[in-house]
Amino acid sequence: MILPIYTYGQPVLRKEAQDIPTDYPNLKQLLDDMFETLTQADGVGLAAPQIGKDIRVVVIDLDVLKDDMPEYAGFKKAFINAHIVEFDDTETDSQEEGCLSLPAIHEKVVRPKRIRVQYLDADLQPHDEWVDGFLARCMQHEFDHLDGKMFIDRISPLRKQLIKNKLKALLQGRFRCGYKTKLLPTRK
């Protein structure tokens, strides 16, 4: 089932998400719905807060990038109770990022090139690993959502000032995108 994506201003996007128990009800269905939603929205990553759930669940599908990044052919994974436990700050990289919760906004974000993560996979098997490259960037972006952060929190105050009107338009529901969204209720 395709779920609506919560846009900028929704309180759940600023809330710290909680770990879930391994017997979380309908987890497999949730993961399937998140992947289906991600595919329909033409994204590469989706965190549970973006569909209104304050739980530490993320899905990433990099297979769509295989023509440009063949190393990600077939990469489609769920990350449950995901945490970044260490950043390797020796090398950083600046790349443009966008977000399904911030339609039409793209900004350059500086992030470490390498991180250490702990998570459970879709089969609830634990992982503790170092990740680098584009996957590390995607994980940092999505795992930020689990900590109540968005990529715009990582841009300079000047850049944030320059996109202020775009953010205001998002809060007012004045934007277009090709997927179902959940807006803030209008105030009368």
Side-chain angles (χ1 to χ4, degrees):
M1 173 174 46
I2 295 171
L3 305 167
I5 294 175
Y6 283 52
T7 57
Y8 178 73
Q10 289 284 356
V12 70
L13 294 173
R14 294 305 193 172
K15 190 174 179 186
E16 187 171 346
Q18 302 301 307
D19 283 350
I20 61 170
T22 53
D23 63 348
Y24 187 82
N26 303 313
L27 179 59
K28 183 183 178 337
Q29 185 62 54
L30 173 65
L31 296 176
D32 290 346
D33 291 347
M34 288 179 72
F35 276 119
E36 186 177 355
T37 301
L38 179 63
T39 299
Q40 192 275 333
D42 288 327
V44 295
L46 184 67
Q50 292 179 276
I51 56 161
K53 297 189 176 298
D54 62 344
I55 56 174
R56 295 190 80 86
V57 176
V58 164
V59 296
I60 296 177
D61 183 352
L62 298 182
D63 185 63
V64 296
L65 306 174
K66 66 184 170 213
D67 291 344
D68 295 324
M69 299 177 181
E71 66 271 29
Y72 295 121
F75 187 97
K76 185 176 178 178
K77 276 180 102 169
F79 301 88
I80 299 159
N81 295 343
H83 295 270
I84 298 173
V85 293
E86 195 172 343
F87 293 91
D88 179 353
D89 289 324
T90 55
E91 279 190 79
T92 60
D93 184 33
S94 176
Q95 286 186 26
E96 191 172 274
E97 292 185 18
C99 181
L100 297 174
S101 293
L102 293 158
I105 296 178
H106 297 86
E107 291 291 326
K108 284 199 173 237
V109 179
V110 176
R111 295 192 186 268
K113 285 186 171 184
R114 187 169 177 255
I115 57 172
R116 183 174 153 223
V117 294
Q118 293 177 343
Y119 63 93
L120 302 175
D121 62 26
D123 297 320
L124 303 176
Q125 296 303 304
H127 295 264
D128 184 331
E129 57 198 32
W130 283 95
V131 179
D132 59 16
F134 189 72
L135 177 58
R137 175 170 292 277
C138 288
M139 291 173 110
Q140 289 174 79
H141 178 106
E142 297 307 329
F143 293 9
D144 269 357
H145 281 298
L146 304 180
D147 294 326
K149 295 185 176 105
M150 301 179 86
F151 81 87
I152 56 170
D153 300 331
R154 300 194 179 277
I155 63 175
S156 72
L158 174 61
R159 289 299 314 158
K160 198 157 186 181
Q161 185 64 31
L162 291 171
I163 64 168
K164 190 171 109 179
N165 287 336
K166 288 182 179 180
L167 294 173
K168 186 177 178 184
L170 281 174
L171 289 172
Q172 296 170 346
R174 293 185 293 115
F175 64 90
R176 289 186 186 175
C177 63
Y179 48 88
K180 189 166 45 168
T181 58
K182 173 93 171 155
L183 308 173
L184 281 172
T186 54
R187 295 188 183 119
K188 304 242 177 193

